[in-house]
Amino acid sequence: MTLDRLWAGWRAEYVGASGDAVAGGECVLCRVLAQGSHVVWRGRKAAVILNAYPYTSGHVMALPLRHAGELEDLDGPEAAELWAAVADAVRAIKAAYRPHGLNVGANLGRAGGAGVPGHLHVHVVPRWDADTNFMTAVAETRVLPESLDASHERLRSAWPA
Protein backbone atom coordinates (compact mmCIF):
# COMPACT_ATOMS: atom_id res chain seq x y z
CA MET A 1 0.00 0.00 0.00
CA THR A 2 1.39 3.39 -0.95
CA LEU A 3 0.72 6.60 0.89
CA ASP A 4 -0.94 9.29 -1.19
CA ARG A 5 -0.50 12.94 -0.29
CA LEU A 6 -3.07 15.63 -0.64
CA TRP A 7 -1.43 19.03 -0.42
CA ALA A 8 -3.58 21.72 1.08
CA GLY A 9 -1.27 24.72 1.30
CA TRP A 10 -4.22 27.02 1.80
CA ARG A 11 -4.64 25.46 5.30
CA ALA A 12 -1.26 26.71 6.52
CA GLU A 13 -2.72 30.07 7.51
CA TYR A 14 -5.58 28.39 9.42
CA VAL A 15 -3.33 25.86 11.18
CA GLY A 16 -0.87 28.57 12.17
CA ALA A 17 -3.53 31.04 13.32
CA SER A 18 -4.25 31.61 16.97
CA GLY A 19 -7.01 33.30 18.93
CA ASP A 20 -10.73 32.98 19.30
CA ALA A 21 -13.58 33.10 16.86
CA VAL A 22 -14.27 36.78 17.22
CA ALA A 23 -16.72 39.22 15.78
CA GLY A 24 -15.75 42.84 16.21
CA GLY A 25 -12.97 41.87 18.62
CA GLU A 26 -15.31 39.99 20.97
CA CYS A 27 -15.69 36.24 21.57
CA VAL A 28 -18.92 35.12 19.92
CA LEU A 29 -19.91 33.00 22.92
CA CYS A 30 -19.32 35.90 25.32
CA ARG A 31 -21.47 38.05 23.03
CA VAL A 32 -24.32 35.53 23.08
CA LEU A 33 -24.14 35.41 26.87
CA ALA A 34 -24.15 39.21 27.10
CA GLN A 35 -27.11 39.56 24.72
CA GLY A 36 -29.06 36.77 26.39
CA SER A 37 -30.54 35.57 23.11
CA HIS A 38 -31.03 31.82 22.97
CA VAL A 39 -29.72 31.30 26.49
CA VAL A 40 -31.64 28.24 27.66
CA TRP A 41 -30.35 28.38 31.27
CA ARG A 42 -27.95 30.60 33.20
CA GLY A 43 -26.45 29.81 36.58
CA ARG A 44 -23.88 31.60 38.72
CA LYS A 45 -20.85 30.05 36.98
CA ALA A 46 -22.15 28.39 33.80
CA ALA A 47 -24.87 28.60 31.17
CA VAL A 48 -26.47 26.55 28.40
CA ILE A 49 -27.11 28.15 25.02
CA LEU A 50 -28.49 26.98 21.71
CA ASN A 51 -25.94 26.30 19.02
CA ALA A 52 -26.60 28.89 16.30
CA TYR A 53 -25.55 26.32 13.67
CA PRO A 54 -27.04 23.11 15.11
CA TYR A 55 -26.43 19.62 13.81
CA THR A 56 -30.06 18.95 14.69
CA SER A 57 -32.86 20.64 16.60
CA GLY A 58 -32.12 20.72 20.32
CA HIS A 59 -28.32 20.99 19.92
CA VAL A 60 -27.03 23.02 22.87
CA MET A 61 -23.70 24.03 24.36
CA ALA A 62 -22.89 24.24 28.07
CA LEU A 63 -20.13 26.72 28.90
CA PRO A 64 -18.60 28.60 31.79
CA LEU A 65 -19.71 32.22 32.10
CA ARG A 66 -16.07 33.23 32.47
CA HIS A 67 -14.08 33.35 29.24
CA ALA A 68 -11.81 30.33 29.76
CA GLY A 69 -10.43 28.18 26.98
CA GLU A 70 -8.97 25.23 28.83
CA LEU A 71 -10.76 22.64 30.92
CA GLU A 72 -8.01 22.76 33.51
CA ASP A 73 -8.47 26.54 33.87
CA LEU A 74 -11.87 26.08 35.53
CA ASP A 75 -11.99 26.30 39.30
CA GLY A 76 -13.92 23.73 41.32
CA PRO A 77 -17.26 25.59 41.46
CA GLU A 78 -17.11 26.40 37.72
CA ALA A 79 -16.37 22.80 36.78
CA ALA A 80 -19.09 21.47 39.08
CA GLU A 81 -21.74 23.83 37.71
CA LEU A 82 -20.64 23.20 34.11
CA TRP A 83 -21.02 19.41 34.43
CA ALA A 84 -24.31 19.80 36.32
CA ALA A 85 -25.50 21.97 33.41
CA VAL A 86 -24.48 19.24 30.94
CA ALA A 87 -26.50 16.69 32.93
CA ASP A 88 -29.52 19.04 33.04
CA ALA A 89 -29.19 19.65 29.29
CA VAL A 90 -29.32 15.89 28.74
CA ARG A 91 -32.44 15.67 30.93
CA ALA A 92 -34.15 18.56 29.11
CA ILE A 93 -33.32 17.19 25.65
CA LYS A 94 -34.60 13.74 26.61
CA ALA A 95 -37.85 15.25 27.93
CA ALA A 96 -38.36 17.66 25.02
CA TYR A 97 -37.26 15.54 22.06
CA ARG A 98 -37.29 11.88 23.14
CA PRO A 99 -34.08 11.09 21.20
CA HIS A 100 -32.78 7.55 20.84
CA GLY A 101 -29.35 8.70 22.05
CA LEU A 102 -27.15 11.75 22.53
CA ASN A 103 -23.65 12.93 21.74
CA VAL A 104 -21.90 14.83 24.53
CA GLY A 105 -18.46 16.22 23.88
CA ALA A 106 -15.97 19.04 23.94
CA ASN A 107 -13.51 19.92 21.20
CA LEU A 108 -10.45 21.22 23.04
CA GLY A 109 -8.13 23.51 21.10
CA ARG A 110 -8.18 24.43 17.43
CA ALA A 111 -6.46 21.17 16.43
CA GLY A 112 -9.09 19.30 18.45
CA GLY A 113 -11.83 20.84 16.33
CA ALA A 114 -12.88 23.76 18.54
CA GLY A 115 -14.54 26.47 16.49
CA VAL A 116 -14.15 28.86 19.43
CA PRO A 117 -10.98 27.57 21.11
CA GLY A 118 -10.75 30.45 23.60
CA HIS A 119 -14.10 29.71 25.30
CA LEU A 120 -14.57 26.15 26.48
CA HIS A 121 -17.96 24.66 25.64
CA VAL A 122 -19.52 21.20 25.78
CA HIS A 123 -21.90 20.13 23.01
CA VAL A 124 -25.03 18.12 23.81
CA VAL A 125 -26.67 16.81 20.62
CA PRO A 126 -29.80 14.66 20.42
CA ARG A 127 -29.58 11.72 18.00
CA TRP A 128 -32.09 9.32 16.48
CA ASP A 129 -31.71 5.93 14.85
CA ALA A 130 -30.95 6.42 11.16
CA ASP A 131 -30.67 10.21 11.52
CA THR A 132 -27.74 10.43 9.15
CA ASN A 133 -28.50 12.86 6.40
CA PHE A 134 -26.93 12.98 2.96
CA MET A 135 -27.56 16.75 2.85
CA THR A 136 -24.80 17.40 5.42
CA ALA A 137 -22.29 15.15 3.66
CA VAL A 138 -23.09 16.06 0.07
CA ALA A 139 -24.54 19.56 0.08
CA GLU A 140 -23.02 20.99 3.26
CA THR A 141 -26.59 21.77 4.35
CA ARG A 142 -28.54 20.71 7.41
CA VAL A 143 -32.27 20.12 7.38
CA LEU A 144 -33.86 21.23 10.67
CA PRO A 145 -37.52 20.60 11.48
CA GLU A 146 -37.93 23.64 13.75
CA SER A 147 -36.60 27.18 14.21
CA LEU A 148 -34.08 28.17 16.88
CA ASP A 149 -36.83 30.11 18.64
CA ALA A 150 -39.02 26.98 18.77
CA SER A 151 -36.07 24.92 20.08
CA HIS A 152 -35.37 27.59 22.70
CA GLU A 153 -38.94 27.55 23.99
CA ARG A 154 -39.13 23.76 23.92
CA LEU A 155 -35.94 23.31 25.94
CA ARG A 156 -36.73 26.09 28.44
CA SER A 157 -40.10 24.45 29.08
CA ALA A 158 -38.43 21.07 29.64
CA TRP A 159 -35.54 22.38 31.78
CA PRO A 160 -35.32 20.59 35.16
CA ALA A 161 -36.57 22.68 38.10
Side-chain angles (χ1 to χ4, degrees):
M1 175 188 275
T2 61
L3 177 66
D4 290 327
R5 289 181 177 82
L6 175 64
W7 295 103
W10 56 271
R11 288 189 45 84
E13 182 179 346
Y14 174 80
V15 171
S18 62
D20 298 340
V22 294
E26 183 181 21
C27 165
V28 297
L29 298 180
C30 289
R31 190 176 73 225
V32 169
L33 290 171
Q35 292 173 348
S37 62
H38 296 138
V39 174
V40 176
W41 173 85
R42 182 188 303 262
R44 293 178 50 161
K45 302 280 184 178
V48 174
I49 64 175
L50 288 177
N51 188 319
Y53 304 99
Y55 289 108
T56 188
S57 295
H59 179 177
V60 298
M61 299 180 295
L63 63 160
L65 294 178
R66 182 171 62 91
H67 184 84
E70 303 296 333
L71 189 58
E72 63 272 20
D73 290 344
L74 301 182
D75 63 26
E78 285 174 319
E81 191 168 274
L82 175 67
W83 292 111
V86 169
D88 281 346
V90 167
R91 288 181 189 96
I93 289 170
K94 284 182 175 182
Y97 291 94
R98 305 277 188 238
H100 298 135
L102 293 107
N103 291 129
V104 175
N107 300 323
L108 304 177
R110 188 173 304 281
V116 185
H119 201 141
L120 171 71
H121 52 284
V122 180
H123 294 267
V124 183
V125 183
R127 301 297 304 269
W128 290 268
D129 293 336
D131 70 356
T132 57
N133 184 325
F134 77 93
M135 292 291 287
T136 298
V138 175
E140 296 181 10
T141 302
R142 295 193 178 105
V143 179
L144 302 170
E146 68 184 8
S147 69
L148 287 178
D149 289 337
S151 294
H152 182 256
E153 186 56 39
R154 195 169 180 176
L155 287 167
R156 284 187 56 87
S157 295
W159 198 260

